[in-house]
Amino acid sequence: MSGEGRALRVLVAVAVMGGLVLPILAGFAQTLRAAFGILPAIGAVEWSLAPWHQLMALPGFGTSLRLSLVTGVGATILALLLATGFFALMHGRIGHGVIGRGAMPFLAAPHAALAIGLAFLLAPSGWIARLLSPALTGWDRPPDWATVNDGWGLALIVGLLIKEVPFLLLVIGSALGQLPLRQHMAAGRALGYGRGAVWVKVIMPQVYPLIRLPIFIVLAFSLSVVDMAIILGPSNPPTLAVAITRWFYATDTALILPASAAALMQAAVVAAAVAAWIAAERVAKRLGLWWLRRGGRGRRAAPGLWLAGSVVGILMVLGVLALAGLVLWSFAWRWSFPQALPQSWSVKGWLTPESGWGRALRATLIIGSSVTAASLLLAIAWLEGEDRARRGRAGWAQALIYLPLLVPQIGFLYGLNVLFLKIGVSGGMLAVVWAQMLFVFPYVMIALSDPWRALDRQHLRAAAALGAGPWRRLMVVKLPMLVRPVLAAAAIGFAVSVAQYLPTLFMGAGRVATLTTEAVTLAGGSDRRVVGVYAVLQAGLPFLAYGVALLVPAVVYRNRRGLLGGTA
């Protein structure tokens, strides 16, 4: 390894450790201190278990914990079953590329925007009730039903499934590309196994290890989601993550101590859920071996596969209607129940940016662009350092990338905000950009790693033979050949930034308002037309970023089609 390559790796390692890993650990440390009674800002200076006793005595704590487990674990299990059943049903009927392209709009839509649209759709006065009334229901006024913010968290589970099933479809599709799928299917069918049995007995045991980490990410997110839970989940009491957020922002500062204890408990809940999932894997393995030895052909699995496919189809239709409902409400002027469509239209909400959405849009664009540029620069430096060192990625380095995605945000963001207050950066754009980068960088890194490694090295060797140094090869050869994956990674990073709620809420300290924070705040009871404008803007920005990521490479490669051969 050259001295230049070694210096680059050291620089990247210092940046990742100092800028990403240490803030997470420091945030946890500050939260830990407050959880055990140490918070000098409010006069708490003695170590104590009192915050934990206060937490256990808070009204609704046990219910909040139960709701988090039911919705989080339930949504993860259902999403995995549905995604697996859908692929088992549609393999050979629809290409993996078609499934992946169909999943992208739901992945691009921010969680809060999709949740707002789904609330518009499922509410007693929502679009579904309007489409069915009065012809099929006889309703001339909304029914008194709790279809959103229900006590069981069913609406929240539906919202999580609309986001998580497409993600798992994309992950499973990528994993299937690494297997000789057709040969396995042909061998299984030749032995008399039904389509479902081949998938469960032959294919999924090989796919599951490849998607295990994404499943853990889904589980951690489902257990600790805040923005979707505020909009769709139970409200009194709410899920644990929402309750913690409320306690942190309560007027009674004494609640910060039990809230810190609850934040640690939230992290422990995620860790325990992952550990329980791993234990369940071992049990499932034993049961699977017993089932395999029985030799059943699984020909009766077809109804289950069709059920899974139908449910996935219904979820996707709900997602499309939710996004369409946002657009309708943003242009509606008068839309009384039970009319299926607005009776009158108006663009008034769009013509008054000074009323709030213009400022939120500017902040969102500035933060998203800054976070994406910084994350992309760091990811390129990391990958270039690996190339120059001619070394693969160590396991500990891979763990650093995934760490922010597996750790609940609420577990360390308050502590990190305390740290930022001490160094004087809290409450401004810099703090929000820094905090968001903790979660944007992993997605950018994951999206860019495989295309970077797949680059045809013959072009680089040819450039080196012509006298081009490492930096010239990077700027003149490597990056131009990787325009498409680089822009795709940037679009993903920008979409993740737009969707960030808690980092902006905590680090902005109420002084940095983005489309996401404003949309979540307004969703609780504001005019649907105003909320629709915010949600459409929030959902539209990621789609715009993906559009740029598709358009620019098409222009760049138009007269340089040889660059398309840059990846093996």
Side-chain angles (χ1 to χ4, degrees):
M1 179 169 57
S2 66
E4 192 176 54
R6 185 180 298 108
L8 180 60
R9 284 176 61 85
V10 171
L11 180 63
V12 172
V14 170
V16 171
M17 290 298 298
L20 302 178
V21 178
L22 289 182
I24 294 176
L25 298 179
F28 264 118
Q30 292 290 340
T31 304
L32 179 68
R33 283 165 51 87
F36 287 94
I38 303 297
L39 189 60
I42 64 172
V45 294
E46 294 185 2
W47 293 94
S48 170
L49 291 176
W52 294 90
H53 297 314
Q54 295 172 23
L55 172 64
M56 300 302 172
L58 284 175
F61 166 71
T63 304
S64 294
L65 180 59
R66 175 184 60 79
L67 285 170
S68 293
L69 291 172
V70 170
T71 57
V73 178
T76 304
I77 294 174
L78 285 174
L80 179 59
L81 293 176
L82 291 173
T84 303
F86 183 83
F87 254 113
L89 177 67
M90 292 301 174
H91 168 69
R93 298 184 173 102
I94 301 178
H96 296 171
V98 175
I99 295 175
R101 287 190 293 272
M104 286 308 296
F106 303 101
L107 297 176
H111 303 91
L114 189 63
I116 291 170
L118 196 60
F120 288 171
L121 188 67
L122 299 179
S125 60
W127 202 7
I128 290 180
R130 294 167 185 264
L131 290 171
L132 299 177
S133 303
L136 299 180
T137 63
W139 298 334
D140 57 3
R141 63 185 61 188
D144 187 17
W145 294 353
T147 52
V148 178
N149 306 125
D150 60 286
W152 288 94
L154 297 179
L156 176 58
I157 291 176
V158 171
L160 289 172
L161 289 176
I162 293 175
K163 288 294 292 184
E164 291 169 358
V165 169
F167 173 70
L168 289 179
L169 287 176
L170 201 64
V171 169
I172 293 174
S174 177
L176 290 174
Q178 305 177 46
L179 301 177
L181 193 58
R182 293 191 178 185
Q183 292 89 322
H184 288 322
M185 286 296 298
R189 299 306 294 269
L191 292 172
Y193 288 104
R195 177 185 286 264
V198 175
W199 270 84
V200 174
K201 293 187 175 183
V202 179
I203 296 174
M204 281 309 295
Q206 299 178 73
V207 170
Y208 183 81
L210 302 176
I211 66 171
R212 192 171 182 238
L213 189 54
I215 290 174
F216 291 160
I217 292 173
V218 168
L219 180 61
F221 170 79
S222 300
L223 285 167
S224 56
V225 64
V226 173
D227 50 359
M228 290 191 84
I230 290 175
I231 299 166
L232 295 174
S235 56
N236 191 25
T239 60
L240 183 59
V242 175
I244 295 170
T245 305
R246 290 180 181 176
W247 295 333
F248 272 130
Y249 278 88
T251 54
D252 184 4
T253 56
L255 284 175
I256 294 177
L257 298 181
S260 299
L264 288 186
M265 178 170 286
Q266 178 73 72
V269 166
V270 172
V274 171
W277 191 283
I278 293 173
E281 290 174 350
R282 297 178 180 177
V283 174
K285 183 178 179 180
R286 291 174 181 263
L287 293 175
L289 290 173
W290 170 79
W291 186 47
L292 283 172
R293 295 189 182 104
R294 290 187 62 198
R297 300 304 185 197
R299 295 189 181 94
R300 292 176 293 180
L305 300 185
W306 281 106
L307 176 62
S310 300
V311 173
V312 171
I314 291 171
L315 290 173
M316 299 304 101
V317 169
L318 289 176
V320 170
L321 291 177
L323 295 177
L326 294 177
V327 178
L328 285 179
W329 271 111
S330 70
F331 289 102
W333 180 248
R334 174 176 171 78
W335 193 358
S336 58
F337 190 90
Q339 299 299 319
L341 291 173
Q343 294 133 291
S344 58
W345 306 81
S346 173
V347 294
K348 184 178 179 180
W350 292 96
L351 298 178
T352 55
E354 67 278 1
S355 64
W357 68 257
R359 180 171 58 90
L361 176 61
R362 286 193 297 272
T364 303
L365 288 171
I366 292 171
I367 294 170
S369 301
S370 302
V371 172
T372 302
S375 299
L376 195 59
L377 181 63
L378 184 56
I380 290 173
W382 181 315
L383 292 166
E384 179 67 10
E386 289 181 348
D387 281 357
R388 296 186 187 184
R390 295 188 178 90
R391 294 179 181 175
R393 188 172 302 159
W396 62 268
Q398 192 78 359
L400 292 183
I401 295 172
Y402 283 99
L403 176 65
L405 306 182
L406 293 170
V407 173
Q409 295 181 358
I410 197 70
F412 67 90
L413 280 178
Y414 172 75
L416 184 59
N417 190 35
V418 172
L419 180 64
F420 280 9
L421 280 170
K422 290 182 178 180
I423 62 178
V425 298
S426 182
M429 286 282 192
L430 176 60
V432 175
V433 168
W434 193 348
Q436 285 198 11
M437 193 173 171
L438 301 177
F439 311 101
V440 172
F441 170 72
Y443 284 102
V444 172
M445 191 70 183
I446 293 168
L448 191 56
S449 292
D450 287 342
W452 190 283
R453 292 167 180 162
L455 184 70
D456 189 347
R457 303 293 159 173
Q458 292 182 3
H459 300 283
L460 301 176
R461 287 191 287 268
L466 292 173
W471 289 107
R472 186 170 178 79
R473 293 198 298 272
L474 172 65
M475 301 303 297
V476 178
V477 179
K478 192 176 292 185
L479 289 181
M481 300 179 85
L482 290 169
V483 167
R484 180 171 293 167
V486 166
L487 288 179
I492 292 171
F494 184 79
V496 173
S497 172
V498 170
Q500 292 300 307
Y501 174 69
L502 275 186
T504 309
L505 182 69
F506 275 96
M507 304 308 160
R511 294 193 288 272
V512 178
T514 64
L515 291 172
T516 298
T517 58
E518 293 298 282
V520 173
T521 301
L522 294 171
S526 184
D527 188 335
R528 285 183 175 180
R529 294 166 293 187
V530 176
V531 179
V533 171
Y534 278 91
V536 167
L537 287 170
Q538 187 201 15
L541 287 181
F543 284 104
L544 180 62
Y546 281 109
V548 171
L550 291 174
L551 180 62
V552 171
V555 174
V556 171
Y557 291 144
R558 184 178 53 184
N559 297 319
R560 300 175 179 85
R561 296 192 181 276
L563 289 176
L564 292 173
T567 55

